[in-house]
Each structure stands twice: as structure tokens, then as C-alpha cells.
Amino acid sequence: MSNNAFANNTLEQDITPAVSAWLAEQRAAGFGPDQLLKSLLDAGWGDAAARHLLAMPAFVAANNLPFPLPVPWPAHAGERLALHAGDRQVNAITVLQDPPLLVLEGLLSREECQALINAAAPRMSRSLTVDVKTGGEETNQARTSEGMFFERGESALISRIEARIGALLDWPVQNGEGLQVLHYGPGTEYKPHYDFFDPAEPGTASILQRGGQRVATLVIYLNEPEAGGATVFPDAALTVVPKCGNAVFFNYSQPHPVSRTLHGGAPVLSGDKWIATKWLREREFI
Ligand code: PD2
Ligand code: ZN
């Protein structure tokens, strides 16, 4: 399993006293991780080295940031177009470093997309989101779609797709939540949000008992809306347009806005939008 795809070999002891003193000064002046990263890049640091520095234990502790967790990432993403996904090859046609994100082509066949829609359609109800205040679930005005969850391994189709995702991401199938299918009609959307659970919220501790944090998201497009319905990443200025069988994958080693994984489903303007989302946890999800 890969940890951070963009880590380099800088060690904590390689940081000179001058750099440590400068970092302490910047923090004292109230600069957050984003501004520190920009300052390091402006000062001529390489992107990977600067990010690695900002994820180091001393820096994380000093800034009260969550400690970076191992995250899934497909082998050879960014080096090869075709990635191994068990029974299928998948093309990584867009690769972003910050946040670590891939647009994947051909994860599902058209037939598999339609079979998922057919199996989900009779089981749809108004989407709920996890309430981090209580650890329970609630309807949410920011999410006007309808949805359902498949049980992990509940049919041959679901097992095949889950095995493919596990092989692609090099992440245990047991660490995945059940596949969720969402349907958006015209005018419905999913406003920008993070998928991880905010460590500062009181309900998070009970949510984390079922397999730890969410560390990555895979959104698979099951059809093509006539207009609208793109997945948007405001911090990355990226828009992913739904195409049947394609997917967008991103990970977040820190459950914090430094992950830059704010994302939303833009309003569907005409037609329908169907997606399947797989959230990956740190440990077995039970
Ligand atoms: O439908 C989407 O594009 C979308 C956007 C944001 C889905 C999710 N989040 C999700 O399932 O978490
Ligand atoms: Zn989301």
C-alpha cells in the first residue's frame, strides 16, 4: 500500500535550525498551512519537499493538525495511462497532486452502470447525511438527491465491482463502506462539503468506531445528465463532467481543510444524474 504518493525522502533531522526558526516565526505571525506552503514555494522549495515538511510530526503537532494517515492510491497512477484493476484495465486520464486526485476512464462497463441503476432504483429514498453533532443521520438541505446503500458483497455484481476497486486502489475490500447509489433529478445538487468526519465534532468519536476515518472517495458516474451535474473541486479549480463508467478518485490523509478536498455535485440542469460512491476507511468497516 502506498502512503502519500508525493512524499519524498526529506527527514525531520534534515531541517536546518534556520528553517525551524523561520517556521516558528511564521506560525507565531498567524500564518496557516496554505500560506506557509506558498511562502516555501516562493522561497524556492520544491513542491514535494515543501508538502513533506508541512506534514511532518513536529509541524503537525505545532499547528494542531490531524496526523497524516496512510491513504489508498493506485500503483503507477501518473506514470502509465492504463492501471491494473483486477478483471479490467482502467485509464487514469487526469492526475492532480494537490489534492491527490484521478479522473478514471472505463472503471465500469455501460452494462454494469445500467445494472447498478436497475438494482438501486426500487430502493431509493431521500438522501441522509451523517450528523457529526450526534453521530446519527439526518436529511440535509445541502443534499437534495435520493439514495440507497448496497451491503458489501450483497450480489455477484456488487462483489465484482468491489474486488475491482480493491485491486485498483490496493486497499482491502473490507475497509470500504457499502456502495452508495445517488440519483439527482433536475434542480437537485450536493453542495460543497468534505467527506471526512470533523475530529472536532462531538459525534465523530462514535462514527470512527466503525472503521476509523474516511481516507478516500471514489465517485463513479452511472449515466450522463443532459446538462449540469458536474463534480466540482473549488480548491483545485477543477470540474469533472459525468461520463458513464468513468469515476473521480481523491484521497485525504488529514481530515482537515489542508486536504483541499472540498467538493460538490453541481445542480443538474436537465435530465437525470446517477452515481455510485465508495468511501474507503482506515480499517475494516463493520
Ligand atoms: O454527485 C457528486 O458529484 C458528488 C459530489 C460530492 C458526490 C459526492 N460528493 C459524494 O457522494 O460524496
Ligand atoms: Zn462528497
Side-chain angles (χ1 to χ4, degrees):
M1 274 169 218
S2 45
N3 282 2
N4 187 323
F6 302 99
N8 68 4
N9 295 323
T10 311
L11 298 174
E12 195 128 10
Q13 59 264 34
D14 293 340
I15 300 170
T16 62
V19 170
S20 293
W22 177 82
L23 276 172
E25 237 171 64
Q26 301 280 308
R27 284 199 300 270
F31 291 130
D34 283 353
Q35 290 151 308
L36 292 186
L37 177 62
K38 186 174 178 312
S39 302
L40 285 166
L41 296 178
D42 288 348
W45 279 63
D47 189 74
R51 272 167 216 293
H52 195 68
L53 174 67
L54 296 183
M56 279 181 176
F59 182 82
V60 165
N63 287 280
N64 207 18
L65 290 171
F67 193 78
L69 303 167
V71 289
W73 186 255
H76 305 297
E79 299 159 13
R80 296 182 192 167
L81 174 64
L83 304 179
H84 171 74
D87 64 343
R88 210 173 156 89
Q89 290 217 328
V90 174
N91 288 336
I93 54 175
T94 298
V95 183
L96 231 63
Q97 302 193 9
D98 184 20
L101 178 151
L102 300 171
V103 179
L104 300 163
E105 182 182 61
L107 180 61
L108 301 189
S109 68
R110 256 184 198 278
E111 293 69 33
E112 287 170 332
C113 291
Q114 196 54 53
L116 275 182
I117 294 173
N118 293 347
R123 293 164 58 179
M124 305 299 279
S125 58
R126 173 76 197 270
S127 293
L128 301 173
T129 42
V130 176
D131 180 0
V132 284
K133 305 271 180 241
T134 63
E137 288 188 319
E138 53 167 15
T139 59
N140 182 343
Q141 262 317 105
R143 190 185 198 193
T144 46
S145 55
E146 48 170 17
M148 57 78 68
F149 275 94
F150 288 107
E151 291 284 317
R152 218 171 40 221
E154 76 161 62
S155 69
L157 172 70
I158 297 293
S159 294
R160 185 168 81 228
I161 293 171
E162 288 174 338
R164 190 178 299 160
I165 293 170
L168 174 72
L169 301 179
D170 191 14
W171 205 250
V173 168
Q174 302 91 290
N175 294 22
E177 297 182 30
L179 202 60
Q180 185 192 46
V181 172
L182 287 185
H183 170 237
Y184 303 78
T188 62
E189 65 181 315
Y190 196 172
K191 294 226 168 81
H193 60 274
Y194 298 100
D195 284 352
F196 52 75
F197 305 110
D198 183 347
E201 291 290 349
T204 294
S206 89
I207 297 168
L208 298 189
Q209 281 170 9
R210 288 187 79 187
Q213 263 292 356
R214 284 181 177 161
V215 288
T217 301
L218 178 71
V219 174
I220 310 171
Y221 303 103
L222 303 181
N223 80 329
E224 286 139 33
E226 265 165 41
T231 307
V232 295
F233 294 82
D235 293 344
L238 177 73
T239 297
V240 181
V241 178
K243 177 159 192 308
C244 174
N246 285 10
V248 58
F249 170 76
F250 52 99
N251 70 38
Y252 23 96
S253 64
Q254 288 169 292
H256 185 277
V258 289
S259 69
R260 295 177 170 276
T261 57
L262 187 69
H263 64 288
V268 172
L269 302 174
S270 88
D272 292 274
K273 173 185 174 188
W274 289 85
I275 60 160
T277 301
K278 175 64 94 174
W279 286 293
L280 292 317
R281 298 286 190 114
E282 287 177 79
R283 297 183 287 280
E284 180 173 4
F285 178 76
I286 15 173

